[in-house]
Amino acid sequence: MPPPSDIVKVAIEWPGAFPKLMEIDQKKPLSAIIKEVCEGWSLGNHENFALQNADSTNFYITEKNRNDIKNGSILRLTTSPSQMAGQLHERIQSSSMDAKLEALKDLANSSRDVTFAQEFINLDGISLLTQMVESGTERYQKLQKIMKPCFGDLLSFTLTAFVELMDHGIVSWDTFSVAFIKKIAGYVNKSAMDMAVLQRSLAILESMVLNSQDLYQKVAQEITIGQLIPHLQGTDQDIQTYTIAVINALFLKAPEDKRQEMAHILAQKQLRSIILSNVIRSPKPINDEMAHQLYVLQVLTFNLLEDRMMTKMDPQDQAQRDIIFELRRIAFDVECEPNNSGSIEKRKSMYTRDYKKLGFINHVNPAMDFTQIPPGMLALDNMLYFARHHQDAYIRIVLENSSREDKHECPFGRSSIELTKMLCEILKVGELPSENCHDFHPMFFTHDRSFEEFFCICIQLLNKTWKEMRATSEDFNKVMQVVREQIMRALTQKPNSLDQLKSRLQNLSYTEILKIRQSERMNQEDFQSRPILELREKIQPEIMELIKQQRLNRLCDGTCFRKISSRRRQDKFWYCRLSPNHKVLHYGDLEESPQGEVPHDSLQEKLPVADIKAVVTGKDCPHMKEKGSLKQNKGWVRRLSVCMYLSSPVSPQYCVWTDGLNALLGKEMTSDFTKSDMDTLLSMEMKLRLLDLENIQIPEAPPPIPKEPSNYDFVYDCN
């Protein structure tokens, strides 16, 4: 009988004593259990004791988490959280450096437990630690030259304990003084600082910025991007990770009007190239936390585009209209005409013609194309960047399309607007970064204008795909869907550079996309939607019946077996076949292997199918164990048993007869051949029923059977 679910068997340790095995009743109060344990070791004042996990966590057992105790757990009897907090609160104020250091080390370890943290915070422990950071270590700094390692450890454990206590969210970050912030910022700004102290200081600054807008202002005044950059140029990936985390936090909390200014400073300090050379291309593999911080920085950088993405073009703004004139001038190399050359109507007609060649929707006033948000003015920015920095490709695309028929023209203007909108959706421009995402792309750190360069690559891809699809204006949305798929598939491969992205996209032609779609459509994973599963369930019985009929037909055709003598000689044969009405098995001996089917009347022995009770396979077949003579009406059974035993369990002969006999008895066919046939036939039937037969003429009569080949030398018998 299993033990009650409320009883948990554990081992409990106590220093200097053998572990005690006991059963804990989860219905009893925890204080009663602790009292029982203390009495077992003759310990008084049980209220000063507690149980904790005897693993690396050392977390206390409380009424809230006691149900997490599993059978076989090892617990430890130890000082209660309140007693421990009081002792450590007193010890960290010791005048002895060694005693203080050991106390802070124990405090940093214990503070991970929320139960202990609550008790220590109740003793105003956070204020004590901040006072130690602000002024308590001042008297030791004079001795820092001769006691540098000890001083570094002292401060490191102090900051570690502070971070662990604050991570529980019990105390608000808004309570800290400017003096404390200055002290922490000072540790970050120092060129030669203990790595552990630097790491904790960066973590504290990040938390301050993220958890308090008021503290963000104070931290931003104490620390600059220029002071953080040197920490990225080292080799410690943890320091690099925390440094990027602080930059991200300052970026995220900065007012909107300050973000562009901050981005300009980051560009001046060459943050991108420093991260590329010292982090992304570092020989050390990038861990998950670093990948997350790079992803956050990538998202925040692209979010700088949101303002342009959500800005409509003002058709009356001459500076904005001049950008469109610039696009026309670069494409067609139009010289500035004198103001009096030609009539106004002639110039308007010429402009309309050129704007149509450029692929704008509104030929008369293309500024109206950029009033849709998103992508707003960002699309026009991308087009101008492409025209100026990739002028040859820009001119080639415009002139190439302007020479085509109207319906086959790939409209550059409309395509650029829709492509910009698509890229913003793919890169989630304007959305806040996810807390658990690590999806950063190394190629975006290889260029200062990575989004614009990304657009330039993709607009050329779009034009190429348009030609491969032989698209017309009605196919615009279909082309955009294919281009989106090409881009998404290339991005999943995480190209390391923009050139590598070009190479991946070259391999993802429209033909290749069709092959991939076809392959995925035929993949079993694509047959999991509810309508497909319902169709599969409907078809499966039909396929099973087809396999059953095939097995029974094979039994009706009959099979020749080798006759096994008592000395296991195989010099004669016997034959067995099922009657056409599936009621009788006919069998008999043969002197030699038959060349064709053996007629029923030549097989003297019969066995009614109704007399068969079961089909037993494998070594457990009782007829394989029988010795001596058998009754004549069991002879065929023994023969078949021996033959099936000697046959391979995956051979066609074995599978056909075991399946056929099971089918005769109305039982399930379980051979490997049945499973294989089911998968093959079901997959084929599903594909046929899901086949797109639109505009395909199905003939009334079947196609003629081709003539037999002159020889069969090409046939290879793998057996």
Side-chain angles (χ1 to χ4, degrees), residues 551-605:
R551 299 293 192 261
L552 295 176
N553 290 340
R554 286 287 301 275
L555 264 61
C556 290
D557 293 340
T559 303
C560 179
F561 299 97
R562 287 189 176 275
K563 190 174 181 179
I564 310 297
S565 65
S566 59
R567 297 182 180 180
R568 303 186 69 81
R569 294 180 60 188
Q570 303 180 12
D571 51 355
K572 292 187 178 181
F573 303 90
W574 70 287
Y575 198 89
C576 184
R577 65 181 300 182
L578 180 66
S579 63
N581 61 7
H582 299 172
K583 292 185 177 182
V584 179
L585 285 165
H586 299 263
Y587 63 97
D589 294 336
L590 300 175
E591 292 297 326
E592 58 184 15
S593 178
Q595 299 301 314
E597 291 185 5
V598 177
H600 293 86
D601 52 9
S602 64
L603 300 172
Q604 298 82 12
E605 305 295 339

Side-chain angles (χ1 to χ4, degrees), residues 219-476:
V219 172
Q221 293 173 3
E222 296 297 329
I223 198 160
T224 64
I225 300 298
Q227 292 165 332
L228 293 172
I229 293 294
H231 299 314
L232 292 173
Q233 296 172 323
T235 58
D236 190 312
Q237 190 170 120
D238 287 337
I239 298 297
Q240 292 174 327
T241 302
Y242 280 105
T243 301
I244 298 177
V246 173
I247 294 173
N248 286 338
L250 292 170
F251 214 137
L252 188 63
K253 288 296 181 177
E256 292 186 10
D257 57 333
K258 295 288 185 182
R259 290 180 186 175
Q260 293 290 346
E261 179 183 339
M262 186 174 176
H264 181 66
I265 295 173
L266 293 177
Q268 283 184 331
K269 298 295 182 181
Q270 298 183 329
L271 176 68
R272 179 198 58 77
S273 59
I274 290 173
I275 291 176
L276 181 65
S277 57
N278 293 279
V279 178
I280 297 176
R281 292 180 177 171
S282 169
K284 294 181 181 179
I286 295 176
N287 58 35
D288 287 346
E289 184 57 32
M290 174 61 84
H292 172 69
Q293 295 300 335
L294 291 174
Y295 152 77
V296 173
L297 181 59
Q298 172 186 293
V299 172
L300 294 176
T301 303
F302 284 141
N303 281 356
L304 296 173
L305 303 170
E306 183 181 11
D307 182 55
R308 294 293 283 175
M309 181 182 75
M310 301 306 292
T311 300
K312 295 182 179 181
M313 184 173 183
D314 182 3
Q316 306 303 321
D317 189 327
Q318 188 59 42
Q320 295 179 0
R321 292 171 62 87
D322 287 344
I323 299 177
I324 299 177
F325 293 150
E326 179 74 0
L327 291 173
R328 173 176 172 266
R329 185 195 64 78
I330 296 174
F332 305 112
D333 196 22
V334 178
E335 298 293 340
C336 296
E337 303 95 345
N339 292 333
N340 57 357
S341 62
S343 64
I344 296 176
E345 289 76 12
K346 184 178 180 181
R347 287 202 304 272
K348 284 184 177 180
S349 175
M350 183 172 57
Y351 290 164
T352 301
R353 180 199 63 196
D354 291 344
Y355 291 149
K356 183 178 180 182
K357 291 180 180 179
L358 282 170
F360 290 113
I361 299 174
N362 193 318
H363 305 153
V364 178
N365 187 7
M368 299 303 296
D369 288 9
F370 301 97
T371 56
Q372 175 192 357
I373 54 171
M377 288 295 293
L378 185 60
L380 189 58
D381 295 342
N382 285 338
M383 294 169 68
L384 183 62
Y385 182 90
F386 181 48
R388 285 178 173 173
H389 294 83
H390 300 272
Q391 193 171 113
D392 292 342
Y394 167 69
I395 295 173
R396 184 179 66 252
I397 287 177
V398 173
L399 297 183
E400 186 179 90
N401 284 289
S402 62
S403 63
R404 296 178 183 169
E405 297 180 29
D406 287 348
K407 68 174 184 177
H408 287 288
E409 177 187 359
C410 177
F412 173 72
R414 181 186 177 191
S415 299
S416 298
I417 293 169
E418 292 300 321
L419 179 62
T420 301
K421 182 179 178 181
M422 179 197 297
L423 297 183
C424 289
E425 292 172 354
I426 291 173
L427 299 177
K428 297 180 172 57
V429 175
E431 296 184 18
L432 289 176
S434 170
E435 293 184 2
N436 300 314
C437 186
H438 309 92
D439 189 24
F440 86 97
H441 296 278
M443 69 177 185
F444 291 130
F445 291 85
T446 62
H447 201 283
D448 290 328
R449 305 288 294 275
S450 58
F451 184 82
E452 290 86 345
E453 288 291 328
F454 186 35
F455 168 84
C456 295
I457 293 171
C458 294
I459 193 65
Q460 295 177 75
L461 168 73
L462 192 153
N463 189 63
K464 172 175 172 286
T465 303
W466 185 283
K467 290 188 291 185
E468 291 173 347
M469 294 178 66
R470 299 178 181 177
T472 62
S473 54
E474 290 82 7
D475 300 322
F476 185 86

